[in-house]
Amino acid sequence: MRKTQAVLFSLLLLLSFCSQPERQPDEVRVRLAVDPANLNPVNYSELEALQILNLLYNSLLAPDLSYNTLKPSLASTLPEVERTDSLTYFTYQLREEAEWPNGEAVTAADVAFTLKVLKAPYVDNESVKPQVEFIQDIVLYADSPGKFTFVCTGYSPEMELLTGDFFILPSYLLDPEGLLNPLTLQQLSDTVAVAHNNSRIQEFAKRFNTLGSSQSTEQLQGSAGYTLERWAPGQYITLKRKEDWWGTTIGKASEYLTANPARISFQIIPENTTALLALQNRQLDVLDNIPVAEFEQLKQNKTFQQDYALHSPQGYELVYAGINTRQSKLNDRRTRQALAHLFDVGNLIKVTQQSYAIPTVGPVPPDAEEFYHTRLKPYTFDVQQAVALLKSAGWVQSSEGWHRSLNGKREALTLEIIYRAGNTTYEQSALIFQQNAAKAGIPVTVQALESSSLNQRLAAHDFDMFFRAISGNPFVFNFKPLFHTSFAAPGGFNVTGVGTTESDQLLEGINAAETQEEKAQLLKRLQEVLHEEAAFLPLYYRKEKLAVHRRFTNTKISGLRPYYDVSSFLLKK
Amino acid sequence: MASYLLKRILLAIPVLWGIATLIFLLSRLMPGIYGAELLGQSDSGYFGKADANSREKAYRQFLHRTGQDLPLFYFSLSPATEPDTLHLIFPESERLFLKRLSWQYGDWQLVSSFHNSLKYVEQATPVAQRNRLAPYLQTIYQNPTPKGIERAVTALSSLAPNQVAQKSQLQHHTAQLLEGQNPYAYLMPALRWHGTANQYHRWLVGLAQGEFGTSFRLKRPVSAVLFEAVGTTWWLLLISMVVATAIALELSLRMVRRGGHSWRKAVLPSLFLLDSIPLFVLAMLLLVLLASPAFLQLFPVYGMGYFQEAQLTKAQALGQWLQFMALPLLCLVLANLPYLTSQFYHALTDTANQDYIRTARAKGLSESTVIRKHMLRNALLPVITLLSDFLPALVAGAVIIETVFAIPGMGRLLIDSVLARDYPVIMGIVVLVAAFKLLSHLLADLLYATADPRIRHATT
Amino acid sequence: MSRLFHTLRQAWQEFLAFRVALLYLLLLTLLVLVLPWLPLPFHPNELDLEHVFQRPFDWEAYQQGRPFHWLGTDTLGRDVLANTLFGARTAWAISFPVMVLTTLLGVGLGTSAGLYGDKKARMSRGRALMLLLAALVAFYYGIYLPLQLTSLRFDTTAYTYALTLALLLPGILVFGITPLLKRWDFFCEEIALPVDQAVLRLIEMLTSIPRLILILVLASFAPPSLLLLSLLLIFTFWTGIARLARAETLRIRELPYFEAATGIGATQAQLIYRHALPNMLAPILVSSVFGLASLMLLESTLSFLNIGVSTDLASWGRMISGIRSNTSAWWLVAFPGALLSLTVLGLQTLSHYFLKSSRGNTRL
């Protein structure tokens, strides 16, 4: 027995000596909360996968996180736009320097190939296919291999963004036999032509659909500055910088087309507590999405701050509450305004976000100063006001709560709030609202729903009120799907059913606006209308919370996902 | 012996089939489908990336590609009034509404013409008035009782001043619907035969051929995914079990000795205490105590190793692996020690009272010879069953340990698949765990039979 | 029964730990029962947004005459003391009925498996067929249809029709049609029902998958409401008790007095009640106490894995899982965790010593 004890003790000693693995300084170690299911550039399913794919592939346009603007990436300039009655033409020119890993230039033919992949049947492309539905055709130019034109149906402001949003794929690598070559883009949506070429497309799809699994690292190469070095599923994914990458030779644009760290390693750590401990052990360089309470504590920790810089940029994720205007008890806007007065946004931000959030009056982010309606005042927490509004809407208060009779039918004012199960922020917000509503005598029940049943109930308009967030960006303000009445049918984006004749006109006007001033004016009026209607109650824009190791500069911290540009990290001299 | 074995295997197969079928059917009866969220509106932005129609189309393509649009089983039993084309109706919210109507009113013809005329009125109403119509439409959609429909349609007709044609059509169809209704129709069931083109058949045929299918989420064959995950978990479980068994045996031997009273007094209560701490609290405690800079920083925090540029030698790799696995192993050992020790202890004390042990003691054999030679051998017999029960149960512990310590194994695979509704993987895990358990039972029986002649004779 | 009390008294006299555990559990039960009438300063669901994450015994925040959070607060300022106590109440409220039902189910199935074996339960083919049909019909009208009606939101009259049929049709099948089938010889022939095999296979099936995995899988298909969770627990926990009961029944059936008693005309049910049950009582009590303990652990584990019961229900798991948003708030784990561990420990100690003294009894 003595022996066993001695062995155990020495084992422990041994372990304590070799506990900290050493590491190279120019390797950036980033935490991933989920193991990406696959890294297919067409059919990825997580934002984490997108972050990695962005380091492997280029799209035509990309956001520059240091200015939060859209910049040309694989394209040399922003596209030329030409509009006719029913069609819009976007003409792009690819960068001449751009090349694939085998040294061949990226050409318009690759873009055409990519579009075919996005639209082909049998390919796992269901999640992006709808996004490029509006691109009818692509025109190539024989005299210039880098030039092409997208032919698009109709016009909406986000089209420019969407035409440059998908990753351009190398045709030589993914379709070496040229299976898709004989087909044109339009043939792919034609059932007769598809039936004719069925075996061809299926053969291509069969191979393409395996792309992006952890076994297919050879195939997973694009035009961007990194290649996939190793992927140990569930553990880590490492990327290695390409030698002699074309992006270093493009002059000014190489400020935002970067590949600085020699190696980027994404560590997969699902549990938050574990990730935080790893950060405090200096085993991670970048950690985002830090829980607020922990972030506050890290701020107090001086020794930690010597090694890490903490950032809290304003994000573009709007947390809001939606009220179902179709319910007869909530159809009167005064009732909804009364509910809006029961939101204690200040306390909500203080408690659920520990003040790391910015309240907003409308869906336009407050930092978009040109468009944000500064004179509009958000609803204040005011029980008296709420009670007065309820009374004016015809409600009568009794010991059981509020009720009124409508067409001879007695109707009680009760609310059920639904939100996605497992989200503590919504849960806390709902509980706080519940307590506030109780002060005004409105009984509120709170129901967490598993996300697919939540979506189902929202789509069927079977709810009173819900909490949710939408992610946005500072480039495009097309609110039509969210607020236009033509999207209010079951399954449409306009879940709250808000919308008047005026708001419909405003939404169409914003999308058609020629000048910034006109757009700003219309957007401000829209914010007023939405405020008045009080069906879509914007609460706040959250601040993101992340820590980055101090040995790096040029981190390009931003409110846009993924909140930093890991490819631009530079070691401090 | 061989026939006994065969009989056991033949009995095990229907059990396995039963479990798998039960879980399969249960899993598909509930709402929610993999990909529904992905293709749905969960990450809607400032702008819709696509309109509802093309999303719908893509969704249907996805269902078709993965075979999820097929009927669930060979037959279905549902009210006769439900049309068998119902599953072709999209969007799903509309399908639910029509199902409700068909159940309530019993005549599909009337229901669909009512629904169509309702849609016409809705479409023909200008935006300005739509807002006022909305509550009545909502009543119809959410609560289409005869009374509710009648009242709402009357209100609708009085509200919209124009669209006379559509309105009169709606009133006409409503009247027909209410007149022709059969409120008990849904009580009459009808059996529908779907043939072999169903999800269950496909899955079962695949399973019989050793195919678990392809994971929706990971786009890889389930068997490959499982193989990888099992590789990690297997070693974790095996090592922790061996260590825990060894310690438990040693402890129980010490306690059962004549002079083991002080051991009993010290060990039993502390094991009780250990047993009463939830596993996740234990894991968190160990993590905070032994891997945090605030206390003792002995172990790396997470995962199974970092990226290394050079390939490690076998010994180095093992060293690294052990170093990362130390905390999870410790956790599992601590969590399972109490149960094992108490079981061993009871088995040993039971044999201690047997006559032959008394005889052995009376013969003057030394205490350790009595225990190790005589007691242990006889006490080990029930321990075999115990261990065969125990290994699959460890998988449950692995769920928590793997989540906390970020180890990619079965437990985490299960949690991830459950959250993503990746049915092929869930089914694969369930079948695997069940098969493993049955196998280990079989093995235990075999060992029993070889060890104890009485059983051998009874069975042959 | 008297043997049970005897054992209890013996354990009480002999072991100090038994006394302590029993007293603790009785006190806790008493506390749980009178809890709603206790003058607690806070309600468990009451939010106090002014005092979020307050430390326990934080005297700086103490003011004379104002309600004070003795054990601190959680992320929404809910009182830890109130939640810990009400959490105990919830744990009892879930565990007790579940354990009682589980024991009934387990004892019922286990004894009938042991008693009837594979050959003793005989009935005519006609009756067996009709019983099977009746079970199917009862399932369709009693479970499947009501579930569908709920998802389609029918009103109560629809349920009454379905449930009436669920009672009526099986009744007609069993009592109305079975006698008619007697005309054919084929249906009159008696067959043996393999009760034992059926129960054994069922147990094997349920225990083939670890409970946590089974519950995880099932909970992913339906939102884990209190009712659903309780049902799941009942359906998975009965197997252990059933095994015990079966083994005990088998043992007693072989005893000489059993045959003698059947000889003088006592029914089997009487025998089971009088002779088998008292013998089974001790081990079954022990295993249900163990079950109670593991139920409490399971409930908090599910909360930790984010598959909690409900946000409105004060439970230990809800409080403990609060640590995830703020790892330094140790009091969220410490107090409910300690009470949970103590209760589990108490239950285990109780059953341990109880078993010990009951063994001593049988040996004597």
Side-chain angles (χ1 to χ4, degrees):
Chain A
M1 204 54 206
R2 283 278 145 73
K3 253 184 258 166
T4 359
Q5 279 166 357
V7 168
L8 268 178
F9 184 72
S10 53
L11 199 70
L12 257 176
L13 211 65
L14 186 85
L15 283 172
S16 58
F17 277 122
C18 57
S19 74
Q20 295 301 313
E22 76 285 13
R23 32 192 301 214
Q24 291 126 345
D26 58 346
E27 175 197 334
V28 186
R29 210 177 263 175
V30 182
R31 178 247 184 157
L32 283 191
V34 282
D35 189 14
N38 74 86
L39 290 179
N40 188 313
V42 168
N43 195 29
Y44 54 87
S45 37
E46 300 93 356
L47 290 162
E48 284 78 6
L50 179 64
Q51 187 187 356
I52 297 172
L53 284 167
N54 260 319
L55 298 166
L56 301 175
Y57 292 90
N58 288 121
S59 45
L60 294 170
L61 307 173
D64 177 0
L65 293 192
S66 43
Y67 302 102
N68 284 355
T69 50
L70 210 57
K71 293 265 175 79
S73 169
L74 209 52
S76 58
T77 53
L78 292 178
E80 286 168 31
V81 188
E82 195 188 326
R83 283 169 65 179
T84 65
D85 284 344
S86 60
L87 294 175
T88 315
Y89 300 92
F90 292 89
T91 305
Y92 280 96
Q93 174 72 46
L94 293 170
R95 283 185 200 279
E96 283 166 10
E97 303 87 350
E99 56 183 34
W100 297 117
N102 71 344
E104 279 175 31
V106 179
T107 62
D110 289 313
V111 181
F113 165 74
T114 305
L115 268 183
K116 284 182 204 166
V117 175
L118 295 187
K119 289 182 165 241
Y122 307 116
V123 175
D124 283 357
N125 54 12
E126 286 91 359
S127 47
V128 277
K129 196 180 196 172
Q131 288 181 41
V132 291
E133 193 87 359
F134 67 93
I135 304 181
Q136 272 186 359
D137 204 358
I138 178 169
V139 181
L140 307 184
Y141 299 88
D143 53 333
S144 157
K147 190 179 166 190
F148 59 92
T149 303
F150 291 130
V151 184
C152 307
T153 13
Y155 175 79
S156 66
E158 70 270 19
M159 271 188 185
E160 178 175 328
L161 178 70
L162 286 179
T163 54
D165 196 35
F166 48 87
F167 295 117
I168 305 299
L169 310 172
S171 58
Y172 78 94
L173 203 63
L174 301 175
D175 189 15
E177 289 102 16
L179 289 167
L180 293 187
N181 280 357
L183 286 150
T184 65
L185 195 58
Q186 280 178 326
Q187 276 176 330
L188 282 173
S189 33
D190 175 21
T191 40
V192 181
V194 166
H196 192 66
N197 291 292
N198 215 334
S199 59
R200 188 179 269 281
I201 303 174
Q202 280 195 351
E203 194 187 334
F204 171 78
K206 201 176 161 209
R207 219 191 34 224
F208 184 83
N209 289 345
T210 61
L211 181 73
S213 76
S214 52
Q215 246 92 70
S216 66
T217 45
E218 297 273 302
Q219 302 278 304
L220 217 59
Q221 294 189 31
S223 56
Y226 287 89
T227 52
L228 192 61
E229 190 175 20
R230 197 174 306 162
W231 179 1
Q235 299 180 53
Y236 55 79
I237 298 171
T238 42
L239 307 183
K240 201 174 67 182
R241 187 174 58 202
K242 282 181 188 163
E243 319 234 323
D244 308 322
W245 180 51
W246 59 267
T248 48
T249 61
I250 48 174
K252 215 168 168 308
S254 56
E255 274 174 25
Y256 60 88
L257 275 177
T258 46
N260 293 334
R263 177 170 288 120
I264 303 171
S265 136
F266 294 91
Q267 304 287 330
I268 295 143
I269 314 172
E271 182 62 24
N272 240 337
T273 326
T274 323
L276 269 162
L277 272 178
L279 184 76
Q280 283 164 330
N281 275 356
R282 317 305 194 244
Q283 289 173 10
L284 285 175
D285 294 322
V286 185
L287 180 67
D288 60 4
N289 228 335
I290 303 178
V292 193
E294 307 288 343
F295 194 74
E296 276 293 290
Q297 269 167 28
L298 292 179
K299 271 204 152 162
Q300 312 300 322
N301 188 340
K302 285 279 174 304
T303 47
F304 177 80
Q305 295 242 35
Q306 279 170 7
D307 286 346
Y308 286 89
L310 294 168
H311 303 274
S312 50
Q314 184 220 298
Y316 292 97
E317 198 175 79
L318 170 64
V319 176
Y320 69 97
I323 300 178
N324 193 354
T325 57
R326 301 174 193 87
Q327 300 278 25
S328 67
K329 60 186 169 192
L330 299 169
N331 192 241
D332 193 321
R333 79 165 65 96
R334 284 165 298 187
T335 312
R336 299 196 298 264
Q337 285 167 353
L339 294 180
H341 275 296
L342 294 175
F343 273 100
D344 188 357
V345 178
N347 247 333
L348 220 58
I349 290 177
K350 204 182 95 198
V351 172
T352 68
Q353 306 294 330
Q354 305 229 340
S355 309
Y356 283 98
I358 297 164
T360 177
V361 72
V364 177
D367 67 342
E369 283 153 14
E370 205 180 340
F371 305 118
Y372 184 75
H373 202 313
T374 37
R375 272 167 299 138
L376 207 56
K377 286 281 157 286
Y379 288 101
T380 49
F381 175 48
D382 189 345
V383 178
Q384 257 87 48
Q385 184 83 21
V387 168
L389 276 164
L390 285 178
K391 280 183 180 151
S392 74
W395 296 96
V396 183
Q397 193 169 18
S398 67
S399 56
E400 305 122 61
W402 296 86
H403 65 88
R404 67 177 179 192
S405 59
L406 199 75
N407 301 340
K409 213 174 132 193
R410 193 183 146 101
E411 199 176 33
L413 184 60
T414 55
L415 279 182
E416 186 196 35
I417 302 183
I418 55 178
Y419 61 91
R420 190 165 60 78
N423 187 313
T424 40
T425 307
Y426 301 157
E427 182 186 315
Q428 291 171 359
S429 310
L431 288 173
I432 293 173
F433 182 79
Q434 187 183 35
Q435 175 146 328
N436 289 344
K439 286 178 194 156
I442 304 174
V444 173
T445 51
V446 171
Q447 177 71 50
L449 288 175
E450 203 276 323
S451 78
S452 60
S453 44
L454 175 74
N455 284 341
Q456 212 168 39
R457 279 188 63 180
L458 292 182
H461 302 156
D462 178 15
F463 66 94
D464 296 334
M465 187 164 144
F466 65 93
F467 281 100
R468 225 184 188 188
I470 48 167
S471 54
N473 58 47
F475 323 126
V476 184
F477 299 105
N478 177 11
F479 297 118
K480 201 171 158 187
L482 268 179
F483 306 124
H484 198 280
T485 50
S486 62
F487 285 83
F493 282 120
N494 186 351
V495 179
T496 57
V498 66
T500 59
T501 329
E502 190 192 357
S503 71
D504 279 3
Q505 282 164 358
L506 282 169
L507 287 161
E508 275 151 25
I510 291 165
N511 286 357
E514 302 280 342
T515 62
Q516 292 290 73
E517 288 74 38
E518 189 192 345
K519 196 169 164 185
Q521 199 194 348
L522 291 170
L523 269 172
K524 281 182 182 167
R525 177 65 198 142
L526 178 73
Q527 291 172 60
E528 284 170 17
V529 173
L530 289 174
H531 187 76
E532 177 79 21
E533 285 292 316
F536 178 95
L537 303 171
L539 300 175
Y540 51 81
Y541 277 94
R542 212 168 56 133
K543 283 183 179 172
E544 303 303 334
K545 295 159 291 281
L546 62 156
V548 180
H549 201 277
R550 283 203 191 271
R551 73 173 188 278
F552 297 112
T553 59
N554 197 27
T555 50
K556 297 199 181 168
I557 302 293
S558 153
L560 275 175
R561 257 182 189 281
Y563 317 122
Y564 50 86
D565 185 356
V566 67
S567 72
S568 75
F569 280 25
L570 281 175
L571 273 179
K572 263 183 198 161
K573 293 281 148 43
Chain B
M1 195 63 223
S3 72
Y4 170 68
L5 199 67
L6 197 71
K7 194 180 149 204
R8 287 285 319 197
I9 293 180
L10 285 180
L11 275 177
I13 288 174
V15 171
L16 194 59
W17 169 79
I19 299 163
T21 303
L22 194 75
I23 299 278
F24 183 90
L25 292 180
L26 272 176
S27 72
R28 309 288 166 112
L29 280 178
M30 307 294 173
I33 253 180
Y34 175 80
E37 275 164 68
L38 203 70
L39 305 168
Q41 47 185 342
S42 52
D43 64 336
S44 62
Y46 282 173
F47 47 89
K49 283 188 172 170
D51 61 32
N53 267 338
S54 41
R55 271 187 301 132
E56 200 64 61
K57 231 166 70 189
Y59 180 52
R60 275 146 92 170
Q61 187 192 329
F62 172 78
L63 288 186
H64 182 70
R65 192 165 53 76
T66 49
Q68 293 186 84
D69 57 343
L70 292 175
L72 186 63
F73 201 59
Y74 296 101
F75 62 84
S76 62
L77 196 65
S78 52
T81 56
E82 193 183 302
D84 44 2
T85 49
L86 195 69
H87 69 280
L88 299 174
I89 292 169
F90 283 91
E92 274 161 10
S93 49
E94 196 160 281
R95 189 193 303 168
L96 211 63
F97 172 63
L98 286 172
K99 187 174 170 185
R100 160 93 208 244
L101 282 182
S102 76
W103 280 43
Q104 174 120 38
Y105 296 98
D107 189 329
W108 179 242
Q109 214 60 46
L110 297 180
V111 164
S112 67
S113 47
F114 168 73
H115 181 232
N116 284 336
S117 56
L118 192 65
K119 268 181 150 176
Y120 287 140
V121 172
E122 219 179 327
Q123 278 158 7
T125 315
V127 178
Q129 289 154 8
R130 218 177 264 178
N131 216 348
R132 288 167 57 211
L133 293 191
Y136 301 103
L137 290 171
Q138 178 81 1
T139 321
I140 296 179
Y141 281 125
Q142 299 303 332
N143 190 24
T145 54
K147 234 188 208 162
I149 287 191
E150 201 175 0
R151 199 181 284 145
V153 168
T154 323
L156 274 181
S157 319
S158 64
L159 264 177
N162 304 316
Q163 308 97 36
V164 184
Q166 285 94 344
K167 263 172 19 191
S168 67
Q169 201 189 4
L170 176 66
Q171 279 166 328
H172 172 66
H173 285 306
T174 312
Q176 267 190 335
L177 183 76
L178 296 179
E179 265 168 40
Q181 68 167 312
N182 173 9
Y184 309 109
Y186 67 94
L187 290 171
M188 191 64 210
L191 191 73
R192 291 193 178 88
W193 182 253
H194 299 301
T196 53
N198 65 61
Q199 294 185 40
Y200 178 73
H201 182 79
R202 278 192 178 190
W203 173 78
L204 197 66
V205 167
L207 193 67
Q209 293 165 349
E211 286 270 336
F212 285 106
T214 310
S215 160
F216 294 156
R217 189 170 63 97
L218 303 161
K219 319 247 180 282
R220 291 173 53 205
V222 172
S223 42
V225 175
L226 282 182
F227 185 74
E228 252 173 39
V230 169
T232 315
T233 309
W234 169 249
W235 288 114
L236 191 65
L237 294 189
L238 197 70
I239 295 180
S240 69
M241 195 173 92
V242 168
V243 173
T245 312
I247 298 180
L249 260 181
E250 188 61 43
L251 279 178
S252 49
L253 281 178
R254 269 161 195 264
M255 285 192 294
V256 86
R257 263 188 199 175
R258 277 234 172 103
H261 187 68
S262 55
W263 274 91
R264 271 199 295 275
K265 265 206 152 155
V267 172
L268 278 180
S270 46
L271 284 184
F272 267 160
L273 191 67
L274 193 62
D275 200 24
S276 61
I277 303 174
L279 183 57
F280 66 93
V281 173
L282 189 69
M284 297 285 247
L285 264 175
L286 282 180
L287 201 63
V288 170
L289 289 179
L290 295 181
S292 134
F295 295 92
L296 268 175
Q297 198 175 341
L298 289 179
F299 300 100
V301 183
Y302 66 90
M304 288 182 52
Y306 302 104
F307 171 80
Q308 305 276 338
E309 221 168 337
Q311 279 295 334
L312 297 171
T313 62
K314 277 243 167 78
Q316 276 174 320
L318 185 71
Q320 199 194 27
W321 187 84
L322 266 183
Q323 184 190 333
F324 278 95
M325 286 296 133
L327 271 188
L329 281 175
L330 186 64
C331 232
L332 276 179
V333 168
L334 282 182
N336 295 306
L337 200 57
Y339 177 68
L340 277 180
T341 315
S342 76
Q343 293 294 323
F344 287 171
Y345 176 62
H346 283 309
L348 280 172
T349 40
D350 281 351
T351 45
N353 291 314
Q354 303 283 336
D355 292 338
Y356 59 88
I357 300 291
R358 288 194 197 140
T359 323
R361 281 209 171 115
K363 273 198 295 189
L365 293 178
S366 78
E367 181 72 18
S368 70
T369 335
V370 170
I371 289 177
R372 288 184 202 264
K373 282 243 170 90
H374 293 265
M375 278 164 76
L376 196 56
R377 261 169 84 179
N378 285 291
L380 271 184
L381 209 58
V383 168
I384 297 172
T385 339
L386 189 73
L387 289 184
S388 78
D389 253 2
F390 185 57
L391 202 55
L394 268 175
V395 177
V399 172
I400 297 159
I401 293 295
E402 286 172 8
T403 320
V404 174
F405 290 102
I407 302 165
M410 287 274 278
R412 228 176 83 199
L413 185 69
L414 179 72
I415 292 251
D416 287 349
S417 313
V418 160
L419 292 179
R421 278 156 206 265
D422 192 350
Y423 295 127
V425 178
I426 300 180
M427 291 308 303
I429 293 178
V430 167
V431 169
L432 196 74
V433 172
F436 188 71
K437 172 105 173 191
L438 291 174
L439 242 144
S440 56
H441 260 219
L442 202 64
L443 203 72
D445 278 2
L446 253 178
L447 283 176
Y448 246 105
T450 37
D452 193 336
R454 279 171 299 181
I455 301 172
R456 195 159 56 216
H457 291 306
T459 51
T460 46
Chain C
M1 270 299 147
S2 64
R3 180 130 46 110
L4 184 72
F5 281 116
H6 178 68
T7 316
L8 271 177
R9 211 174 48 221
Q10 202 178 348
W12 173 267
Q13 282 164 354
E14 245 176 87
F15 306 108
L16 174 72
F18 184 85
R19 259 171 288 172
V20 174
L22 193 64
L23 272 181
Y24 165 76
L25 288 175
L26 284 178
L27 263 177
L28 192 71
T29 317
L30 187 73
L31 186 71
V32 156
L33 286 177
V34 301
L35 200 54
W37 294 280
L38 283 188
L40 284 174
F42 295 96
H43 189 264
N45 283 333
E46 188 180 330
L47 315 182
D48 184 356
L49 302 181
E50 299 302 314
H51 305 100
V52 174
F53 282 126
Q54 189 179 308
R55 297 175 160 276
F57 310 112
D58 187 1
W59 298 115
E60 283 168 27
Y62 182 76
Q63 280 168 314
Q64 196 77 43
R66 305 276 308 271
F68 177 60
H69 300 284
W70 291 96
L71 300 184
T73 59
D74 76 347
T75 165
L76 284 177
R78 282 176 293 205
D79 189 51
V80 173
L81 177 65
N83 271 285
T84 309
L85 294 179
F86 273 87
R89 194 180 157 82
T90 310
W92 281 123
I94 297 179
S95 310
F96 251 169
V98 167
M99 230 40 239
V100 168
L101 287 175
T102 305
T103 313
L104 286 181
L105 191 67
V107 170
L109 283 174
T111 44
S112 50
L115 201 59
Y116 292 119
D118 282 340
K119 307 220 168 72
K120 288 211 182 132
R122 301 184 70 84
M123 64 172 66
S124 70
R125 276 190 181 143
R127 196 178 188 84
L129 186 74
M130 283 304 123
L131 272 180
L132 187 72
L133 266 179
L136 285 179
V137 169
F139 175 79
Y140 181 78
Y141 285 109
I143 296 177
Y144 175 75
L145 215 54
L147 277 181
Q148 289 280 314
L149 290 175
T150 321
S151 77
L152 293 176
R153 309 213 169 173
F154 270 79
D155 43 15
T156 38
T157 46
Y159 292 98
T160 5
Y161 292 143
L163 290 177
T164 317
L165 280 183
L167 290 175
L168 207 61
L169 285 180
I172 292 174
L173 281 174
V174 174
F175 297 108
I177 302 194
T178 316
L180 295 182
L181 287 175
K182 290 254 160 79
R183 293 182 190 178
W184 289 279
D185 285 344
F186 175 78
F187 289 112
C188 286
E189 209 172 300
E190 293 228 321
I191 47 165
L193 297 182
V195 182
D196 196 28
Q197 277 297 323
V199 171
L200 281 182
R201 286 313 109 192
L202 200 60
I203 290 179
E204 204 172 347
M205 249 170 79
L206 283 176
T207 48
S208 292
I209 307 168
R211 193 175 292 127
L212 182 66
I213 293 189
L214 197 66
I215 287 174
L216 265 181
V217 168
L218 293 181
S220 71
F221 311 138
S225 66
L226 196 60
L227 185 70
L228 186 84
L229 202 67
S230 306
L231 283 179
L232 275 180
L233 293 172
I234 291 173
F235 281 119
T236 51
F237 263 95
W238 64 269
T239 53
I241 291 176
R243 267 189 188 157
L244 260 173
R246 175 177 171 272
E248 199 64 23
T249 318
L250 278 179
R251 193 179 67 81
I252 288 161
R253 219 178 60 183
E254 298 299 315
L255 292 178
Y257 72 73
F258 195 85
E259 287 194 11
T262 355
I264 58 166
T267 64
Q268 290 193 329
Q270 279 174 337
L271 284 174
I272 288 291
Y273 180 73
R274 228 174 274 156
H275 301 286
L277 274 184
N279 266 333
M280 277 186 265
L281 218 48
I284 285 173
L285 204 67
V286 169
S287 89
S288 56
V289 163
F290 250 95
L292 210 60
S294 53
L295 256 176
M296 288 181 178
L297 287 180
L298 192 67
E299 197 263 334
S300 59
T301 305
L302 284 178
S303 284
F304 174 77
L305 290 173
N306 252 339
I307 307 176
V309 180
S310 161
T311 46
D312 287 345
L313 200 67
S315 81
W316 288 332
R318 180 179 86 173
M319 191 104 292
I320 292 177
S321 61
I323 189 86
R324 307 184 101 185
S325 59
N326 182 358
T327 35
S328 62
W330 53 268
W331 55 94
L332 294 185
V333 175
F335 298 112
L339 202 62
L340 171 64
S341 289
L342 268 181
T343 310
V344 172
L345 188 64
L347 287 169
Q348 284 176 346
T349 317
L350 204 64
S351 62
H352 174 78
Y353 286 107
F354 183 73
L355 197 67
K356 208 169 173 180
S357 68
S358 85
R359 270 190 193 171
N361 267 355
T362 44
R363 229 172 272 137
L364 291 171

